[in-house]
Amino acid sequence: MRLPDSYFHDMYAGNDDPWGFTSRWYEQRKCALTLAALTKPRYRSAFEPGCSIGVLSGGLATRCDRLMCTDVSPRAVDLARQRLTGHPHVDVRVGDIVADWPSKRFDLIVLSEVLYYLDRTALAELIARLPAALAPGGEVVAVHWRWPVDEYPQSGDDVHAALAESPMVASTSYSDTDFRLDVLHLSPERSVAQREGLVSS
């Protein structure tokens, strides 16, 4: 069973940064590695569900012409809007990752620390949506904590194993003791070096 919305409302009730996005080196490092893993310098449109207070969103905003961010917590959305006030091309709104998935297509979809909140059925349905949600040449970046959390329906490794069984192809993968990161495309893509003519295609 997926985590209820009340779990997230309670997290922000007494703390504006319950996961320590602004204070922990772990989170700063993960954010930097996530941005470094993006295979293109700039994207026309991006979607980041579960944006929380908008820390990663701020980095994505510098790489995108348009960025849509959502979170189920109204408090998190308020804080993200404040953080992103200098980026008028960013749209931050309250939204559930399953019920409020947009009908648009994106060049970049960032799924950071969100998919293990879903049960297997909801996760499978969301993964099945991804190909139709990507513009040609678009990519999905998935990043998840690997340590067990009792209340989460799934682990980060469970999530990435499910992504590996999808029709998408991983062009970049990184894993350490704490988290796993995958960049996925609809079909094999030329590497960054190939695109820039450093090696023959």
Side-chain angles (χ1 to χ4, degrees):
M1 184 174 180
R2 60 176 294 181
L3 283 183
D5 292 354
S6 59
Y7 173 86
F8 303 98
H9 300 328
D10 291 344
M11 290 294 289
Y12 290 101
N15 189 340
D16 283 348
D17 188 6
W19 283 278
F21 291 122
T22 61
S23 61
R24 292 186 176 132
W25 168 240
Y26 165 79
E27 293 293 349
Q28 295 167 26
R29 173 178 176 267
K30 184 185 65 180
C31 180
L33 287 169
T34 301
L35 294 170
L38 302 180
T39 69
K40 298 171 185 174
R42 193 156 190 88
Y43 299 81
R44 288 170 299 178
S45 60
F47 176 44
E48 183 198 5
C51 67
S52 186
I53 62 174
V55 174
L56 176 58
S57 315
L60 294 171
T62 68
R63 305 275 295 273
C64 304
D65 295 337
R66 297 186 310 279
L67 173 61
M68 177 187 293
C69 304
T70 62
D71 199 278
V72 73
S73 165
R75 178 57 180 162
V77 167
D78 287 344
L79 293 166
R81 285 174 176 162
Q82 293 172 30
R83 184 177 301 278
L84 298 164
T85 52
H87 301 285
H89 61 293
V90 178
D91 176 15
V92 187
R93 60 180 72 174
V94 176
D96 178 271
I97 189 173
V98 174
D100 301 308
W101 190 274
S103 58
K104 300 176 182 178
R105 301 176 79 188
F106 300 93
D107 298 301
L108 174 65
I109 297 174
V110 179
L111 303 169
S112 180
E113 311 287 10
V114 290
L115 296 184
Y116 44 46
Y117 297 131
L118 306 178
D119 59 29
R120 290 187 179 183
T121 299
L123 176 63
E125 291 174 354
L126 189 143
I127 291 175
R129 291 180 183 178
L130 293 175
L134 283 176
E139 62 192 44
V140 173
V141 180
V143 189
H144 293 87
W145 174 255
R146 298 186 66 201
W147 293 94
V149 181
D150 289 341
E151 60 263 39
Y152 293 0
Q154 302 192 75
S155 70
D157 286 341
D158 292 336
V159 164
H160 286 260
L163 286 166
E165 295 177 359
S166 76
M168 295 180 294
V169 179
S171 64
T172 303
S173 293
Y174 172 82
S175 180
D176 62 24
T177 305
D178 297 326
F179 72 91
R180 178 167 173 178
L181 182 154
D182 286 306
V183 181
L184 304 116
H185 297 87
L186 293 178
S187 59
E189 293 280 320
R190 292 189 302 161
S191 73
V192 174
Q194 287 174 320
R195 290 179 206 162
E196 298 201 336
L198 299 175
V199 292
S200 61
S201 300

